[in-house]
Amino acid sequence: MNYLSKLLPLGLIGMSAIATTASAATFFSDDFEEYTAGAAIPLGSEEIWREAKVVGEVVFDAENDTGHYFSSESNKYAVLSQVDGTGQGLASATGFSGTTTGQMNFSFYDPSSDTSDWLMRISGNAWGGNGNTLWGLFMQNGTLYVGSGQYVSPGAQIGTYQQDTAYTISIVFNNSDSTLNYDGGSVASQMMDVYLNGELIGDDLASTGNIGTGTTVQNINFASKVNSPGTIYLDDISLDSNISIPEPSTMSALAVGLGIMCLAIGRRMKLFGRRS
């Protein structure tokens, strides 16, 4: 569980739990809890992750979250590193049965010592790669860029973040031929909406390349796109056909309800003080 959830009101945590249990079509999910800390994450066609390579020395290990980057409790996360800077590091999921619409979530921690840029690609092919990328998102030294063009290069800036801090990204994607309406918004055909810690930072962002509508999402991968050493930490990665972004009206109602509850508690405390 991401450490950020520890800071949420109990009502929001409950809402999140309800949304998770209601999900009935999960295509990919990994919280890295099942791996041996300090060891390489298993790779292969029979595993969740197919490969971690491209060129040069690439590390894709599970680690105990002793620094509490993502959780205040016992937790494991993945370390993805391009060690020697002679190529582009890659961690690619094993291909899965596809969906044209849905939501991808992942948490990341970008160390300030990192000098590389990292790209998350949602692919319309089980093997990934630039040419099959439907949507991309760059995490580059505190700045988020949408992936753009045939070779998936950094495009428009859509947000910023602090290095040495954990964040959660949620992406609602739509490669159907019509607008997708979901709780909290809508996303046009061949577009994606991007949320950072639940806040919309990218609305109707275009897909990369010229892949037509109807192509299903079949792969997700993370890659270093420059030939320099770099490291990123990853946790709680999932891709689901259901969408669980809370409606703004629901958030407001919850806030009002919590305010009323706090006010009532305050009044009772004052009354108790008078009686004592």
Side-chain angles (χ1 to χ4, degrees):
M1 179 181 292
N2 189 293
Y3 180 60
L4 295 169
S5 67
K6 309 295 183 184
L7 307 179
L8 292 176
L10 292 176
L12 292 186
I13 295 175
M15 287 172 57
S16 176
I18 291 170
T20 301
T21 56
S23 174
T26 300
F27 292 89
F28 182 91
S29 179
D30 199 355
D31 61 7
F32 304 101
E33 293 300 316
E34 301 302 318
Y35 306 123
T36 301
I41 292 171
L43 304 173
S45 59
E46 300 302 316
E47 305 290 345
I48 293 177
W49 297 93
R50 187 185 68 247
E51 59 181 342
K53 67 176 187 66
V54 176
V55 179
E57 184 181 356
V58 178
V59 170
F60 190 43
D61 289 353
E63 295 290 346
N64 283 322
D65 195 358
T66 56
H68 301 299
Y69 303 128
F70 297 99
S71 177
S72 62
E73 302 174 352
S74 176
N75 181 58
K76 293 178 187 175
Y77 65 94
V79 176
L80 177 60
S81 295
Q82 175 64 44
V83 178
D84 56 5
T86 61
Q88 298 179 357
L90 171 73
S92 179
T94 302
F96 44 81
S97 59
T99 177
T100 57
T101 62
Q103 179 176 327
M104 181 191 174
N105 302 306
F106 68 94
S107 297
F108 74 98
Y109 180 101
D110 185 3
S112 57
S113 58
D114 175 51
T115 58
S116 184
D117 61 344
W118 291 93
L119 166 66
M120 185 286 303
R121 293 182 292 198
I122 297 176
S123 179
N125 179 281
W127 293 93
N130 285 335
N132 299 305
T133 298
L134 290 166
W135 296 279
L137 182 68
F138 280 89
M139 296 151 281
Q140 186 174 11
N141 302 318
T143 305
L144 295 169
Y145 301 91
V146 63
S148 178
Q150 179 182 357
Y151 301 105
V152 197
S153 302
Q157 176 181 329
I158 61 171
T160 60
Y161 62 90
Q162 291 184 349
Q163 290 184 281
D164 300 324
T165 303
Y167 289 88
T168 296
I169 295 284
S170 297
I171 297 173
V172 180
F173 59 86
N174 178 20
N175 204 38
S176 71
D177 58 3
S178 60
T179 297
L180 171 66
N181 295 306
Y182 62 93
D183 288 345
S186 65
V187 58
S189 173
Q190 291 193 294
M191 303 288 183
M192 70 172 176
D193 287 353
V194 179
Y195 292 81
L196 179 66
N197 288 351
E199 179 182 352
L200 182 66
I201 61 170
D203 185 23
D204 279 348
L205 302 176
S207 62
T208 64
N210 296 305
I211 301 175
T213 58
T215 300
T216 59
V217 170
Q218 300 177 53
N219 176 277
I220 53 176
N221 56 83
F222 295 83
S224 171
K225 290 286 284 184
V226 296
N227 296 332
S228 65
T231 298
I232 192 169
Y233 305 158
L234 301 169
D235 203 0
D236 297 323
I237 305 171
S238 65
L239 189 143
D240 197 290
S241 64
N242 287 355
I243 300 167
S244 57
I245 303 294
E247 291 186 64
S249 58
T250 302
M251 300 284 285
S252 299
L254 180 60
V256 171
L258 289 172
I260 293 172
M261 180 177 68
C262 291
L263 181 60
I265 293 173
R267 287 176 175 173
R268 291 187 65 183
M269 290 179 66
K270 285 183 179 180
L271 182 59
F272 179 79
R274 290 174 183 174
R275 290 178 176 176
S276 63

